[in-house]
Amino acid sequence: MSDQYDITPRVIIARHGQTDWARVGRFTGTTDIELTQKGIGQISTAAATLVGAGKLLDPRRLTHIYVSPRTRAVETFKLLLPQYSDFVPGKVTFTEDIAEWDYGNYEGLKDMEIRNLRKMRGLDGEREWNIWTDGCEDGESSQQVTERLDKLILQIKEIQKPYMRGEKPADVLVVAHGLILRAFAKRWINWSIDRDLPMEIQPGGIAVLSYKDNDTNKPTLNLGLALP
């Protein structure tokens, strides 16, 4: 049997590098903020280590790239793949579908500040606030996030479906933000956003999603990859 990891299209997800707000735990959704010097270093190191011919992220295998339009994500994309730093029609899409969760009234706050604010307003008497279930006041609900992610996932599957047995390289890269990428991973495996799946992706981190048995109806999380 063929080694499916050599031929099955993958979705490579990359979180932007550190920002000043991310460094101190502030919820950063719609606010446009640049990478810190450390964040630039994180992405530069990832690019040198993981990007290139025969490496985890091989530009020759990319058929499409989706990038959040927020500055921190765009900077990350340009550092990872400088050869695509100019918009490439048909190859790169900057889309709000993979922008960070809109935190509404919670923008710029820390987790405990949000919880205290809600309790001052008489909320969460029976249970603690959970963004996956409750969403954000004057921001996005989990249903709204689900709808836009599902639209993007459908596009990706349509792109990759004709090439599930290696007819041509068809990897897709998604460059975005911490919370939305965790939500993306849940929706990728058809889990509801409010279903508990403890996971983390660090600033500058890269992870891989794919399919089992070369089948778009069997999306998977790759827990480990064999090196080329």
Side-chain angles (χ1 to χ4, degrees):
M1 184 174 68
S2 298
D3 184 349
Q4 67 168 340
Y5 299 108
D6 288 338
I7 62 177
T8 305
R10 303 173 303 164
V11 178
I12 300 166
I13 59 175
R15 181 183 176 185
H16 65 75
Q18 184 197 74
T19 67
D20 280 332
W21 279 20
R23 178 177 57 83
V24 296
R26 296 194 181 279
F27 278 53
T28 318
T30 58
T31 301
D32 231 2
I33 189 168
E34 297 180 350
L35 301 179
T36 62
Q37 284 301 309
K38 181 176 180 178
I40 292 171
Q42 289 169 332
I43 303 305
S44 297
T45 298
T49 306
L50 302 176
V51 179
K55 294 185 178 182
L56 175 67
L57 176 51
D58 188 337
R60 302 171 305 174
R61 295 184 57 85
L62 290 175
T63 190
H64 205 87
I65 302 165
Y66 292 95
V67 185
S68 162
R70 303 293 175 262
T71 296
R72 55 198 185 274
V74 175
E75 286 182 330
T76 295
F77 159 62
K78 291 180 177 181
L79 289 167
L80 272 180
L81 294 169
Q83 62 267 57
Y84 295 124
S85 60
D86 295 324
F87 181 77
V88 181
K91 186 85 171 185
V92 182
T93 301
F94 298 93
T95 174
E96 291 285 341
D97 289 341
I98 198 61
E100 184 59 293
W101 199 307
D102 183 347
Y103 297 125
N105 293 345
Y106 308 151
E107 183 77 5
L109 299 180
K110 299 179 182 180
D111 183 85
M112 190 53 63
E113 292 173 336
I114 295 171
R115 297 182 187 281
N116 290 338
L117 177 66
R118 289 177 62 91
K119 288 180 179 178
M120 287 174 57
R121 298 181 57 243
L123 302 174
D124 309 328
E126 295 183 1
R127 63 172 178 82
E128 288 289 317
W129 171 70
N130 183 334
I131 191 172
W132 303 105
T133 303
D134 305 318
C136 299
E137 293 181 282
D138 288 335
E140 283 187 296
S141 66
S142 59
Q143 181 60 37
Q144 288 172 311
V145 170
T146 295
E147 289 172 359
R148 63 179 170 97
L149 290 179
D150 285 357
K151 181 173 67 172
L152 179 60
I153 287 170
L154 180 60
Q155 292 175 20
I156 292 172
K157 288 184 176 181
E158 288 300 313
I159 289 172
Q160 294 182 325
K161 189 173 183 179
Y163 312 111
M164 294 305 293
R165 296 193 175 275
E167 290 82 356
K168 78 167 191 178
D171 285 351
V172 168
L173 172 65
V174 177
V175 183
H177 314 268
L179 192 67
I180 204 67
L181 286 175
R182 284 185 281 158
F184 181 90
K186 288 184 181 183
R187 293 307 301 148
W188 181 258
I189 58 173
N190 297 316
W191 278 29
S192 64
I193 282 198
D194 62 355
R195 187 170 176 181
D196 188 30
L197 180 60
M199 57 180 166
E200 187 58 85
I201 180 168
Q202 296 180 347
I206 295 177
V208 180
L209 313 175
S210 190
Y211 307 91
K212 185 177 181 181
D213 301 327
N214 314 107
D215 187 344
T216 54
N217 294 314
K218 297 179 179 180
T220 65
L221 306 177
N222 274 332
L223 298 183
L225 296 173
L227 296 176

